[in-house]
Amino acid sequence: MDDENKPVNNEQVAVNKGSVLGLFIRRCVMDYRMSNIIRVSGMIRAYNEYMSGISGDAYFVSGEDPRSEGWVSEYNVQIFMKAQILQLERSGSNQIDPDQLNVFLTKVEIMYPFLAETSRLRYLNNIRVREYKKAVAEIHVNHDLSIEESNLPDPLLNLGRMEYSFGHKKTAISAFSDAQAASITTNDAESSEEIQYWISACDYNIYNTTVENDLDNDQSTNTFVYNDPYLRSLSTLSQARSLLYEGGDLKQLFECLYKTSISQVQNDIKETKPVHYLLSALTWYKLGNRASALSYMKLAKGCKTQIADDAEQIALLEADMLVTEGHLDEAIQVLDRFQSEFPIDSQFRYKWRQYKASILKKNNQSDQINPQYSILRFIHTDEKEQYIDGLLDQVNDALDAHEYHTALELLNETERTIRNKSLYPLLPPILIKQADIYMTMGLNEKVKPILTETMILTRKHSQVMHFLAAVIKQSEVFLLTGERDKAIYMMETITPKVLSTGSVYLRNELIRVDQLIFPHTAVSCHPNI
């Protein structure tokens, strides 16, 4: 066939009916004769396009985007869609434009209307662009097609994921439990492990929204042993993230990061490396070790497997470090660079937008702020730290207008809510702001127990920045109440640590209080300040 000039051999070759080739040919002939007219016409079209060289399969073999108008084999379509499904499930994004992928899926749906992978990939694509109503519709289509293929775990797993992304943890657990039962029925061990991971994530989340954080009592992430190295690493990183944000035991946090690092090397897991480096950077940043945080952040930025979600978190960390050092313009440039590098995915993410709005406000560029972005942090209440930052901005606005009682009412109401829900790691910035207002009002004796509690909480949860801010405030209070020796001792103790953080705010506060202690010196008594 490759050479038209080659003479054709008309001699027929006898094939034994019972041979492997003979059985295959007989099966093909039988299948062809039993096919309906639509399938026969499809075969003829596939053969003609394949022989003429316009088959669309070449795009899948070469790894290019699916733009061909030619016929594509069902096998290659399934292989391609399964790869895209895996990438979207693990990372939340891929290299194909969402609109272009949707056009391709529409074409495939016409050619192969009963492929369950089509609706599953379209569901993930809709989730990617926040088209939740369309995603729900595709979930139901995928469910119906999967029943025909006796593959129930996948649609139930996707339904649970979607409920989880909405914040409906209890509803998600119900879907995951059904998926787990279906996976047992179909004897699908791979799906069973993934479902167990999501059940553990839901159980842990519900536990921590109702009970004071005590990770030693939480067995949900420790009792199940994952055979899949990727899921094992993901589970360990999830535990590390919870320990970091909920103020858990530092030793356990570093053990999780260490285990993940070993697993990544042993099993060549590239997908979780950016998350591992990012969590390591955030851990050291929380502990006030700027040099280590910067090193891990650079490692995270250098990962080739970096996706939009990871890139956003890295950009937020880098911007926050620059804001801490007083470089507001550079921080804005970092967030703008993230937007330019991920023009599609950045449109559907709000964290970087709202943080940019807060930086613009600090930089006296309020005229460039879209009011909608400032409101976002009050809408997405799952982001508790962002919510607290937004509340503190409102408190500062009230203080600028000399409405001290309004500011205190906001803080007191938030404090009550935090205590009722046992979210104690969120309490220090609220208490520090309360102490600041009481000091402005001259109620210094009322400030001491507040700052003492703040220092105890911040030491327990390893919140170095808040701890140092509380110590500086307490030193000032001791000075104002006539306990100058205590103030000097506390200031001398924390000065090296404050300088190592690189925080402009803490450094300025240190200098201000230092000059209150030694008012006759033109500069600070500490040579390093």
Side-chain angles (χ1 to χ4, degrees), residues 27-66:
R27 185 174 177 179
C28 289
V29 172
M30 185 182 298
D31 189 45
Y32 176 78
R33 289 176 177 175
M34 293 177 64
S35 299
N36 56 33
I37 186 65
I38 297 176
R39 191 173 182 192
V40 170
S41 63
M43 291 180 189
I44 294 171
R45 180 194 170 198
Y47 175 77
N48 290 333
E49 291 192 4
Y50 177 79
M51 294 301 294
S52 60
I54 61 173
S55 169
D57 283 279
Y59 285 92
F60 295 96
V61 175
S62 64
E64 298 180 24
D65 292 346

Side-chain angles (χ1 to χ4, degrees), residues 15-34:
V15 178
N16 191 325
K17 292 183 179 181
S19 67
V20 175
L21 182 58
L23 289 172
F24 174 75
I25 294 173
R26 290 165 65 193
R27 185 174 177 179
C28 289
V29 172
M30 185 182 298
D31 189 45
Y32 176 78
R33 289 176 177 175
M34 293 177 64

Side-chain angles (χ1 to χ4, degrees), residues 355 377-378 384-394 429:
Y355 192 52
R377 59 184 126 189
F378 298 109
K384 299 179 182 69
E385 291 185 351
Q386 295 290 342
Y387 182 84
I388 295 298
D389 289 342
L391 178 78
L392 292 176
D393 281 347
Q394 284 192 333

Side-chain angles (χ1 to χ4, degrees), residues 36-290:
N36 56 33
I37 186 65
I38 297 176
R39 191 173 182 192
V40 170
S41 63
M43 291 180 189
I44 294 171
R45 180 194 170 198
Y47 175 77
N48 290 333
E49 291 192 4
Y50 177 79
M51 294 301 294
S52 60
I54 61 173
S55 169
D57 283 279
Y59 285 92
F60 295 96
V61 175
S62 64
E64 298 180 24
D65 292 346
R67 294 186 292 267
S68 174
E69 294 300 323
W71 172 86
V72 182
S73 67
E74 181 178 349
Y75 173 80
N76 278 342
V77 166
Q78 284 185 302
I79 293 298
F80 170 79
M81 289 200 291
K82 285 177 180 178
Q84 296 304 311
I85 287 168
L86 182 63
Q87 188 174 2
L88 283 170
E89 285 179 342
R90 289 194 172 188
S91 67
S93 62
N94 60 18
Q95 301 302 316
I96 302 177
D97 181 83
D99 292 333
Q100 184 183 336
L101 184 57
N102 194 48
V103 170
F104 166 73
L105 291 174
T106 302
K107 172 191 168 185
V108 168
E109 203 166 29
I110 295 171
M111 297 172 62
Y112 307 108
F114 303 112
L115 281 180
E117 288 85 358
T118 306
S119 54
R120 186 176 177 187
L121 183 53
R122 184 177 276 126
Y123 149 76
L124 292 169
N125 197 41
N126 286 328
I127 287 290
R128 177 186 175 189
V129 297
R130 307 301 194 265
E131 289 283 359
Y132 294 119
K133 289 184 179 180
K134 293 181 180 179
V136 171
E138 293 300 329
I139 278 287
H140 292 296
V141 173
N142 185 244
H143 185 277
D144 295 339
L145 291 173
S146 297
I147 289 176
E148 295 178 6
E149 296 181 3
S150 300
N151 184 24
L152 272 175
D154 285 345
L156 291 170
L157 177 60
N158 288 333
L159 180 62
R161 281 176 175 159
M162 188 168 62
E163 294 289 356
Y164 184 87
S165 66
F166 290 159
H168 307 156
K169 305 302 186 296
K170 292 183 179 179
T171 310
I173 280 187
S174 178
F176 289 139
S177 299
D178 291 341
Q180 185 75 294
S183 68
I184 293 172
T185 303
T186 57
N187 200 23
D188 189 346
E190 185 177 346
S191 293
S192 181
E193 283 202 348
E194 189 171 358
I195 293 163
Q196 181 59 44
Y197 165 76
W198 284 103
I199 290 174
S200 300
C202 289
D203 282 341
Y204 184 83
N205 192 288
I206 292 173
Y207 174 84
N208 278 284
T209 55
T210 55
V211 183
E212 180 177 357
N213 180 49
D214 184 2
L215 290 169
D216 292 334
N217 295 331
D218 180 27
Q219 301 298 325
S220 61
T221 56
N222 299 325
T223 56
F224 190 87
V225 179
Y226 297 96
N227 294 320
D228 185 349
Y230 170 76
L231 286 176
R232 190 162 59 245
S233 294
L234 206 60
S235 177
T236 308
L237 285 174
S238 297
Q239 188 180 1
R241 183 184 183 280
S242 300
L243 286 162
L244 175 64
Y245 286 104
E246 302 296 336
D249 181 51
L250 268 180
K251 181 182 177 182
Q252 193 176 355
L253 171 56
F254 278 110
E255 282 179 358
C256 289
L257 294 173
Y258 181 66
K259 286 178 183 177
T260 306
S261 179
I262 294 174
S263 179
Q264 286 171 348
V265 174
Q266 289 180 338
N267 301 290
D268 193 26
I269 304 172
K270 297 182 176 64
E271 295 89 348
T272 57
K273 279 188 176 181
V275 181
H276 173 256
Y277 291 142
L278 178 60
L279 284 173
S280 300
L282 287 168
T283 301
W284 286 114
Y285 186 53
K286 179 184 177 182
L287 294 174
N289 190 326
R290 182 182 175 279

Side-chain angles (χ1 to χ4, degrees), residues 324-379:
T324 302
E325 296 167 4
H327 306 305
L328 301 184
D329 291 330
E330 292 181 27
I332 293 171
Q333 290 173 8
V334 168
L335 297 176
D336 288 340
R337 188 162 59 247
F338 162 73
Q339 183 184 14
S340 63
E341 290 176 358
F342 296 88
I344 297 172
D345 293 284
S346 63
Q347 296 177 30
F348 309 107
R349 286 166 171 76
Y350 65 89
K351 292 181 185 178
W352 72 273
R353 294 181 185 275
Q354 66 185 29
Y355 192 52
K356 181 180 177 180
S358 67
I359 298 173
L360 289 170
K361 186 175 181 180
K362 290 178 183 177
N363 207 27
N364 298 320
Q365 294 175 278
S366 299
D367 56 316
Q368 300 181 27
I369 299 175
N370 185 335
Q372 184 180 3
Y373 300 148
S374 296
I375 297 171
L376 283 173
R377 59 184 126 189
F378 298 109
I379 297 173

